[in-house]
Amino acid sequence: MTEIINRLEPGAVDTVDVEAVNSKERRKLYQARVKVFPKRTHGTFRSLKWWIMAITLGIYYLTPWLRWDRGPYAPDQAVLVDLANRRFYFFFVEIWPQEFYYIAGLLIMAGVGLFLITSTVGRAWCGYTCPQTVWVDLFLVVERWVEGDRNQRIKLDKASWSFDKARKFVTKHAIWLLIAMATGGAWIFYFADAPTLALNFVEGEAPFVAYSTVAVLTATTYVLAGFMREQVCTYMCPWPRIQAAMLDEDSLTVTYNDWRGEPRGKLSKKANADERAVGDCIDCNQCVAVCPMGIDIREGQQLECITCALCIDACNGVMDKIGRARGLISYSTFSEYSRRAAGETVKTTWRSFVRPRTMVYLALWSLAGIAMLIHLGMRDRLDVNVLHDRNPLHVTLSDGSIRNGYTVKILNMQARPRVFTVSLDGLDGAFMQVEAAGAETLTQEVARIEVEPDKLRQLRIYVHQPKDAVTGEREDFRFIVRDTDSDEQSTYSAIFYAPER
Amino acid sequence: MAKPETDEITGTETTGHEWDGIKELNTPLPRWWLWTFYATIIWAIGYTVLYPAWPLVDGATRGVLGWSSRADLTTTLAGVEQEQSQYLTKINELSLGEIAQDPELYQFAVAGGRSAFAVNCVQCHGSGAQGFEGYPNLNDDSWLWGGTLDDIYTTVRHGIRYEADEDTRLSQMPAFGRDGMLDRTQVNDVAEYVLSLSGQDHDAAAAQAGAAVYTDNCAVCHGDKGQGSQELGAPRLNDAIWLYGGDKASIVAQVNAPRHGVMPAWSGRLDPVTIKQLVLFVHSLGGGE
């Protein structure tokens, strides 16, 4: 049998002496964390993870430094959450607090997007883009760089304290702390002008909240990515428990193809000599050694698996060395797994992603996105609110005319000063008396007022109606506020009250 | 005590509780939870030592930090007063007209006046300063003693017909009917004339007769055309605003036996800064001259 002969001539495949830390059998309910020492891997998914790490970290660290010219009246930072002035700037979009529904919309899109991704490619979020995963990966790089790969790290961990161990310990934790500080440090730049804040920060003149935020985020990054690692995913994160509902038999998961691998056996002449049917798994435990979650994928689907696919890379490397086909551990849907196990040849194509469930998620996701874009394109940048004086509702003046007082609030939501006219519509013979510094009365029915960029201007407007024009106890009319440049206008329906006759 | 039972599958002790064949496992609490719990206990002990906490017979323990909510409030109030003092000093120093020219100061003064009004003035003038019968509406443009800042200032400081104040505004209308200065017909006629002055329905013949009565008895204070006099506090009669009602019965009653309102002098009761703030607030109501 050629298969068995091949197994007699293996490349140097290390068999790792490792036991899955998080296996069902081993895990006690009340037990201190058992350290996981993930081994380095090479391969497609490892490269993919490097790329995604570079991109996500790049986005996180660089975004606050992008500039965006908004003219003289608004900040020039592309992405800025300006809490002090209650504005949120996102490239060409400026969001006011009352437009917070955009954030709600984004959260809905993020939620549905997560459903969509999970139902198609499984826990891709967890394995590749989750900040916990990314920073743990980064911390692991540092750990490996300072202390060496798996075996050296285990040895160092067991060794008694020496100068060398102390040096490595200090180096590793110093770099971790630096990364953690950079993580917290980048966060605050989203909330203030980044270059200014950076300068103030090192000069010790930044606000206390900046320092406390950096301190908290440094601490959480250091503890969560340095020490808790896979425990965050297993015990603290709710998402693995929820996502079971997102997965079905057509979702991609990391699968050990036991129909091909079992019965597993060590590479040995004896196994060959027995001539018993031996599976492709040579029980080298590489898949366990590389797993950052400390599980053995060969035990089947587990809650801890974040589908980072590093075990696929490790196993493929072994299969190459022993001359077997790749894919003993592979990304596979449950239905594909079943069909392959039954001996069918299955080719994974994009069609497996097109299912009613994914299409519904995609439709909902797109719908939310399109609705937000349309709304964004059509939203008002001028907002008018009118408060009628209620005490007293109306005042009789000496000539018998009736006066009602209003507080008119004009909101200029553009980052440039604008001149508006305020006029009355639908009240016979009425005229206005505008009380505000800088307001100009054009005619008795029209006033002109300049409103600063991104500001609210409040006017006291007294509306007079001559004695003879008063027709009833209440009359509906409108305040019309119009931009003198663009003809953008906003209408507010108001009521004029007169005393009983 | 019953012998503890061990669950076969998990190897964990059960609590002995069983519902429909389901046994409750006595799973230990996670260690992080326990540590958090211990931390809260330590925190609580530290807190009760540092801050006032334990009730004793004659009060509570003081806490080693010496913190108290009362001292905290005093500090906060002192801070607020400190912050406000710059405005208050300016209000004290500047004239009413100067204050009105400074938008920030004006806003502060009007806001302060609004609360002072709510405490001292609403009892008579109403919560919206809209007045009642006999109590003037401060929103309108009719002012018995003048509606400029200075006029209102004098009125607030010295009151109206408030005899305890030497500089109080004083005026009295004779009781023409009760004291027999005019007979019933004359009173009726002059009331019809006053109705005509304010453009209301009236008996033209009686009004004509009343014109002469008016010229002889009323014009000296109320003006020949009923335009009133702010020096004397004599109301305008040719407008739409009536302190005691503008219908004929009310006018007749007022001519027969006039009523006169009294407003107390507020200087002495309120500090000068508050009075200035009140004046600016009243003036801001929309009717100020």
Side-chain angles (χ1 to χ4, degrees):
Chain A
M1 290 172 80
T2 46
E3 288 174 19
I4 297 172
I5 288 166
N6 276 337
R7 297 187 65 149
L8 280 173
E9 299 160 7
V13 176
D14 296 331
T15 297
V16 187
D17 179 24
V18 60
E19 209 172 339
V21 164
N22 286 323
S23 76
K24 272 180 211 157
E25 284 72 24
R26 282 197 48 153
R27 190 169 56 224
K28 296 280 176 290
L29 282 167
Y30 196 66
Q31 173 184 284
R33 173 176 184 253
V34 179
K35 284 185 186 168
V36 182
F37 297 91
K39 191 173 180 294
R40 181 166 194 184
T41 29
H42 301 274
T44 322
F45 295 107
R46 182 61 264 185
S47 308
L48 185 62
K49 260 172 89 76
W50 288 136
W51 276 109
I52 292 175
M53 185 207 272
I55 293 166
T56 48
L57 286 177
I59 291 173
Y60 176 68
Y61 285 114
L62 297 180
T63 304
W65 300 89
L66 295 177
R67 302 288 97 183
W68 194 269
D69 187 11
R70 289 192 185 83
Y73 301 103
D76 289 338
Q77 187 156 319
V79 177
L80 178 66
V81 182
D82 192 349
L83 290 178
N85 298 309
R86 295 176 209 83
R87 300 282 180 279
F88 176 51
Y89 300 96
F90 189 81
F91 296 98
F92 60 94
V93 184
E94 180 188 335
I95 292 176
W96 286 54
Q98 58 265 49
E99 296 175 304
F100 202 71
Y101 41 71
Y102 287 120
I103 310 297
L106 284 176
L107 288 174
I108 289 169
M109 285 182 76
V112 177
L114 211 47
F115 296 172
L116 174 64
I117 294 294
T118 308
S119 64
T120 50
V121 291
R123 287 181 74 172
W125 166 261
C126 296
Y128 298 91
T129 46
C130 173
Q132 174 67 13
T133 294
V134 170
W135 262 281
V136 166
D137 225 16
L138 188 61
F139 272 45
L140 275 171
V141 176
V142 173
E143 191 168 87
R144 198 173 292 134
W145 182 68
V146 176
E147 299 180 346
D149 205 4
R150 178 182 159 81
N151 290 337
Q152 287 160 284
R153 297 213 301 277
I154 294 174
K155 226 166 98 186
L156 190 74
D157 188 55
K158 284 182 182 153
S160 53
W161 282 97
S162 63
F163 173 76
D164 192 50
K165 183 169 177 173
R167 181 182 62 80
K168 284 179 174 167
F169 179 88
V170 171
T171 314
K172 180 176 86 173
H173 286 272
I175 300 176
W176 277 4
L177 275 171
L178 273 177
I179 296 173
M181 259 159 73
T183 308
W187 181 252
I188 58 172
F189 293 139
Y190 285 87
F191 297 87
D193 184 59
T196 318
L197 182 61
L199 196 67
N200 288 344
F201 193 86
V202 291
E203 284 174 346
E205 283 167 5
F208 171 74
V209 66
Y211 293 104
S212 56
T213 306
V214 172
V216 168
L217 286 179
T218 303
T220 49
T221 310
Y222 181 63
V223 171
L224 295 188
F227 300 93
M228 296 184 70
R229 296 190 180 171
E230 79 284 350
Q231 295 208 305
V232 174
C233 311
T234 316
Y235 298 111
M236 289 171 71
C237 182
W239 182 231
R241 285 141 218 279
I242 300 168
Q243 72 187 337
M246 302 293 117
L247 294 167
D248 57 26
E249 73 276 12
D250 289 315
S251 311
L252 276 183
T253 50
V254 173
T255 310
Y256 169 62
N257 293 301
D258 54 1
W259 49 269
R260 190 185 133 185
E262 300 295 320
R264 67 183 84 150
K266 292 261 188 268
L267 265 182
S268 70
K269 287 179 183 170
K270 189 169 172 288
N272 179 37
D274 282 352
E275 284 197 8
R276 61 181 163 92
V278 182
D280 281 348
C281 176
I282 57 169
D283 212 6
C284 66
N285 283 334
Q286 294 285 357
C287 54
V288 182
V290 299
C291 182
M293 299 298 293
I295 59 167
D296 185 347
I297 190 64
R298 294 171 299 176
E299 287 173 8
Q301 286 301 313
Q302 289 152 77
L303 175 141
E304 292 85 358
C305 179
I306 57 170
T307 71
C308 63
L310 294 183
C311 52
I312 299 182
D313 279 346
C315 190
N316 281 345
V318 172
M319 291 298 114
D320 288 349
K321 277 183 180 168
I322 64 168
R324 303 296 306 143
R326 290 179 159 215
L328 177 56
I329 305 173
S330 68
Y331 260 120
S332 177
T333 69
F334 186 73
S335 61
E336 283 170 2
Y337 162 81
S338 306
R339 285 164 63 197
R340 285 197 183 107
E344 285 182 51
T345 312
V346 187
K347 204 165 169 254
T348 305
T349 62
W350 59 270
R351 284 181 191 282
S352 65
F353 300 132
V354 182
R355 289 177 275 137
R357 179 193 183 113
T358 55
M359 288 303 105
V360 168
Y361 287 147
L362 187 64
L364 283 175
W365 187 83
S366 316
L367 215 64
I370 291 166
M372 278 170 67
L373 281 178
I374 291 174
H375 191 267
L376 198 62
M378 292 169 59
R379 66 187 180 150
D380 290 328
R381 297 285 84 192
L382 162 65
D383 197 26
V384 175
N385 268 292
V386 177
L387 280 156
H388 187 278
D389 286 3
R390 282 164 200 283
N391 189 11
L393 217 46
H394 45 71
V395 172
T396 305
L397 297 181
S398 50
D399 61 358
S401 64
I402 306 299
R403 194 189 74 198
N404 280 205
Y406 302 86
T407 302
V408 178
K409 295 179 178 185
I410 301 174
L411 201 53
N412 173 15
M413 298 170 86
Q414 283 191 351
R416 60 184 177 87
R418 293 204 280 173
V419 178
F420 298 103
T421 56
V422 184
S423 55
L424 297 179
D425 178 46
L427 202 58
D428 280 343
F431 63 91
M432 290 192 298
Q433 178 190 339
V434 181
E435 312 254 311
E440 188 187 348
T441 307
L442 297 181
T443 68
Q444 289 204 313
E445 296 83 30
V446 184
R448 180 157 61 181
I449 185 83
E450 182 174 331
V451 186
E452 287 173 61
D454 271 339
K455 285 272 155 45
L456 174 106
R457 187 81 194 262
Q458 193 167 310
L459 311 174
R460 285 282 300 157
I461 294 185
Y462 292 113
V463 176
H464 297 250
Q465 197 175 22
K467 190 180 174 185
D468 303 334
V470 177
T471 52
E473 274 176 49
R474 55 171 284 171
E475 267 189 88
D476 294 311
F477 73 104
R478 284 160 300 284
F479 280 101
I480 298 174
V481 178
R482 190 179 280 124
D483 183 358
T484 49
D485 282 341
S486 68
D487 278 343
E488 182 184 2
Q489 72 168 49
S490 182
T491 306
Y492 197 97
S493 296
I495 297 167
F496 188 89
Y497 286 98
E500 288 178 47
R501 304 194 142 211
Chain B
M1 203 176 138
K3 197 172 139 255
E5 187 192 352
T6 306
D7 177 58
E8 277 178 27
I9 299 161
T10 55
T12 312
E13 274 183 19
T14 67
T15 60
H17 300 158
E18 185 178 337
W19 295 270
D20 297 340
I22 298 170
K23 288 172 183 171
E24 186 185 26
L25 298 186
N26 191 11
T27 307
L29 290 164
R31 195 174 292 180
W32 66 264
W33 194 98
L34 280 172
W35 283 120
T36 312
F37 178 60
Y38 298 146
T40 59
I41 293 173
I42 294 165
W43 174 275
I45 292 169
Y47 195 93
T48 54
V49 171
L50 293 174
Y51 288 95
W54 297 104
L56 304 174
V57 180
D58 58 341
T61 53
R62 302 232 155 189
V64 297
L65 288 186
W67 183 92
S68 85
S69 54
R70 209 169 271 272
D72 202 32
L73 175 70
T74 315
T75 320
T76 313
L77 279 180
V80 172
E81 273 167 24
Q82 175 71 29
E83 217 165 280
Q84 290 191 346
S85 65
Q86 47 158 331
Y87 292 113
L88 298 176
T89 318
K90 264 167 125 182
I91 289 173
N92 197 27
E93 286 166 358
L94 299 178
S95 75
L96 289 164
E98 286 166 333
I99 296 167
Q101 293 305 312
D102 180 340
E104 203 186 338
L105 193 59
Y106 178 72
Q107 209 177 351
F108 177 86
V110 169
R114 180 174 287 116
S115 36
F117 190 89
V119 175
N120 300 292
C121 314
V122 296
Q123 294 83 348
C124 294
H125 289 288
S127 58
Q130 76 277 24
F132 303 101
E133 187 181 316
Y135 300 95
N137 182 345
L138 304 177
N139 293 284
D140 64 27
D141 59 346
S142 170
W143 295 91
L144 291 168
W145 297 93
T148 65
L149 283 171
D150 288 334
D151 288 334
I152 300 172
Y153 191 43
T154 309
T155 304
V156 175
R157 277 196 304 168
H158 301 297
I160 308 287
R161 300 182 193 92
Y162 186 69
E163 286 170 6
D165 189 300
E166 285 180 8
D167 298 321
T168 194
R169 301 212 189 256
L170 209 53
S171 71
Q172 197 100 11
M173 171 165 159
F176 288 99
R178 191 186 62 206
D179 294 348
M181 297 160 80
L182 297 175
D183 63 29
R184 289 177 68 91
T185 321
Q186 284 172 311
V187 170
N188 177 66
D189 290 349
V190 84
E192 289 291 345
Y193 181 67
V194 168
L195 285 174
S196 79
L197 281 177
S198 58
Q200 302 186 69
D201 294 337
H202 58 275
D203 181 335
Q208 191 133 29
V213 182
Y214 181 88
T215 312
D216 291 345
N217 297 285
C218 316
V220 61
C221 292
H222 289 287
D224 53 355
K225 294 184 186 67
Q227 70 270 36
S229 164
Q230 291 183 346
E231 286 84 56
L232 302 169
R236 269 178 77 175
L237 301 178
N238 61 358
D239 66 7
I241 294 169
W242 299 90
L243 192 53
Y244 292 97
D247 57 310
K248 188 174 169 194
S250 301
I251 295 170
V252 168
Q254 197 64 8
V255 175
N256 275 329
R259 288 171 286 173
H260 299 102
V262 174
M263 165 161 156
W266 291 95
S267 68
R269 298 188 192 211
L270 297 176
D271 63 271
V273 173
T274 308
I275 291 181
K276 278 187 176 175
Q277 289 181 309
L278 266 176
V279 170
L280 286 158
F281 167 68
V282 169
H283 191 266
S284 78
L285 290 171
E289 288 173 351

